[in-house]
């Protein structure tokens, strides 16, 4: 596939036989960039930090190394320095929650709250209101501060799907406590390079729970557009390569349905964004003890 003379890339992070790598996803499988340029760029974030997209593109028509069913997807960017999330950024969602603040609503996610495509999303044991939110994720390529909105999209490396799982009964008067339980945010399957998405505000976005469509909108309905968000965020913090901005969820969330509709163990949650991909995960109950104590 080509756009403006360039080979379009879908870039994924993954595990293969216990080893972390990253590569180009094609119809026939995965071209393993870790095997080819991993000595220069150890992961996808390092590739972006090193301005290595053009070098990676040289392998876009190389023979496939791995079949899709041989890999385990990781979050597209496994350990971003920052994950900045935008709340109440679609008109219908703002109506559902009776929100009127004109400024962007921002909160943060931690890197260890993420999981990859086809991996379990963990329902927090302490939550009875685990809600779904399908969102467009923006991955920063060229970092910067005080970025003007006129040039903001030049700083975007690509776009992906995000399922921003929310423990509503832990949000209270803030968002952070409800958003950072382990493996509650699904990120993937891959990053589509920005040259394939000349306008990030012309994309259909849909979410399904157990095959039932529960959210449907278009990114044109965003109140604060991607360029505006980059401008706003970069005024108070430097955006770095591999940072992720999650741009908000359409209306239709479970909390505001009658009766409410929350995710339970065994449910399948899916997010699809036009021209980007289809993210799918099954809900599992979080284990009682996530990690053994170190002695």
């Amino acid at each position: 596939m080509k756009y403006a003379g360039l080979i379009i890339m879908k870039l994924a992070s993954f595990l293969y036989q216990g080893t972390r790598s990253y590569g180009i996803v094609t119809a026939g499988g995965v071209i393993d960039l870790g095997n080819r340029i991993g000595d220069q760029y150890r992961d996808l974030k390092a590739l972006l930090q090193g301005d290595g997209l053009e070098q990676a593109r040289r392998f876009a028509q190389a023979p496939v190394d791995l079949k899709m069913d041989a890999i385990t997807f990781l979050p597209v960017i496994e350990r971003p320095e920052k994950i900045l999330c935008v709340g109440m950024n679609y008109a219908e969602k703002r109506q559902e929650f009776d929100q009127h603040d004109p400024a962007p609503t921002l909160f943060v996610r931690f890197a260890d709250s993420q999981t990859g495509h086809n991996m379990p999303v963990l329902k927090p044991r302490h939550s009875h209101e685990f809600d779904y939110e399908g969102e467009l994720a923006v991955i920063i390529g060229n970092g910067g501060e005080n970025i003007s909105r006129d040039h903001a999209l030049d700083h975007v490396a690509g776009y992906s799907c995000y399922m921003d799982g929310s423990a509503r009964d832990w949000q209270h008067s803030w968002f952070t406590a409800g958003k950072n339980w382990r493996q509650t945010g699904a990120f993937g399957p891959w990053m589509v390079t920005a040259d394939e998405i000349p306008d990030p505000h012309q994309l259909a976005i849909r979410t399904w729970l157990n095959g039932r469509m529960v959210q449907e909108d278009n990114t044109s309905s965003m109140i604060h557009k991607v360029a505006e968000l980059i401008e706003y965020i970069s005024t108070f913090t430097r955006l770095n390569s591999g940072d992720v901005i999650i741009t908000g969820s359409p209306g239709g969330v479970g909390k505001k349905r009658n009766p409410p509709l929350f995710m339970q163990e065994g449910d399948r949650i899916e997010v699809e964004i036009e021209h980007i991909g289809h993210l799918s995960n099954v809900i599992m109950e979080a284990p009682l003890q996530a990690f053994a104590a170190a002695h």
Side-chain angles (χ1 to χ4, degrees):
M1 185 174 184
K2 294 188 176 182
Y3 177 78
L6 297 176
I7 303 296
I8 302 305
M9 291 192 298
K10 296 178 179 179
L11 295 166
S13 300
F14 59 86
L15 280 171
Y16 175 66
Q17 295 184 346
T19 299
R20 280 172 161 75
S21 192
Y22 63 100
I24 302 171
V25 177
T26 73
V30 179
I31 300 164
D32 190 347
L33 293 177
N35 273 346
R36 289 173 165 82
I37 53 175
D39 57 337
Q40 295 175 261
Y41 312 108
R42 67 184 180 278
D43 57 20
L44 189 47
K45 183 170 80 170
L47 183 80
L48 300 180
Q49 289 171 334
D51 197 21
L53 281 178
E54 287 310 309
Q55 187 171 349
R57 198 182 299 278
R58 297 173 192 165
F59 299 99
Q61 294 180 311
V64 164
D65 299 302
L66 305 169
K67 297 296 185 184
M68 292 289 286
D69 59 6
I71 69 169
T72 299
F73 282 95
L74 296 169
V76 176
I77 306 295
E78 195 174 5
R79 296 235 166 235
E81 291 183 28
K82 303 180 188 72
I83 307 170
L84 295 145
C85 310
V86 184
M88 307 300 165
N89 201 27
Y90 283 77
E92 185 180 353
K93 177 81 170 292
R94 289 171 71 92
Q95 291 172 4
E96 288 178 343
F97 284 82
D98 194 25
Q99 292 290 319
H100 306 284
D101 190 342
T105 299
L106 296 179
F107 55 95
V108 296
R109 260 194 180 273
F110 308 139
D112 62 0
S113 73
Q114 300 190 119
T115 192
H117 171 62
N118 277 341
M119 295 300 290
V121 164
L122 299 182
K123 176 190 172 296
R125 285 185 171 270
H126 295 283
S127 175
H128 300 288
E129 297 185 354
F130 189 40
D131 208 346
Y132 52 82
E133 297 195 61
E135 311 198 17
L136 173 71
V138 177
I139 299 102
I140 297 297
N142 299 319
E145 297 178 85
N146 298 308
I147 300 167
S148 74
R149 71 184 65 186
D150 291 341
H151 300 287
L153 295 187
D154 296 337
H155 291 259
V156 175
Y159 301 92
S160 188
C161 305
Y162 213 101
M163 199 294 293
D164 185 26
S166 305
R168 297 291 187 199
D169 41 359
W170 278 80
Q171 288 185 183
H172 309 302
S173 59
W174 68 95
F175 291 101
T176 301
K179 296 286 189 175
N180 282 289
W181 301 81
R182 187 167 69 94
Q183 286 184 225
T184 53
F187 184 14
W190 43 66
M191 177 188 90
V192 172
T193 50
D195 43 89
E196 188 175 1
I197 312 292
D199 183 355
H201 299 291
Q202 296 295 326
L203 306 172
I205 178 170
R206 301 180 180 92
T207 306
W208 289 268
L209 182 61
N210 296 325
R212 170 189 175 187
M213 188 182 294
V214 289
Q215 293 182 296
E216 183 178 22
D217 209 325
N218 191 285
T219 54
S220 62
S221 299
M222 281 187 198
I223 295 167
H224 303 289
K225 308 302 187 187
V226 171
E228 178 188 349
L229 293 170
I230 290 172
E231 179 184 71
Y232 178 75
I233 291 167
S234 69
T235 60
F236 66 83
T237 186
R238 178 179 176 82
L239 286 169
N240 296 309
S241 301
D243 285 352
V244 180
I245 301 172
I246 309 170
T247 55
S249 173
V253 296
K255 175 71 173 179
K256 293 302 180 178
R257 290 179 176 268
N258 187 17
L261 178 65
F262 296 117
M263 296 186 291
Q264 307 296 333
E265 185 172 26
D267 287 350
R268 179 171 292 277
I269 187 70
E270 301 168 86
V271 178
E272 182 178 67
I273 303 179
E274 186 180 13
H275 303 309
I276 294 177
H278 191 111
L279 173 66
S280 181
N281 300 85
V282 171
I283 309 302
M284 289 181 57
E285 192 83 10
L288 286 172
Q289 186 172 352
F291 302 102
H295 294 289

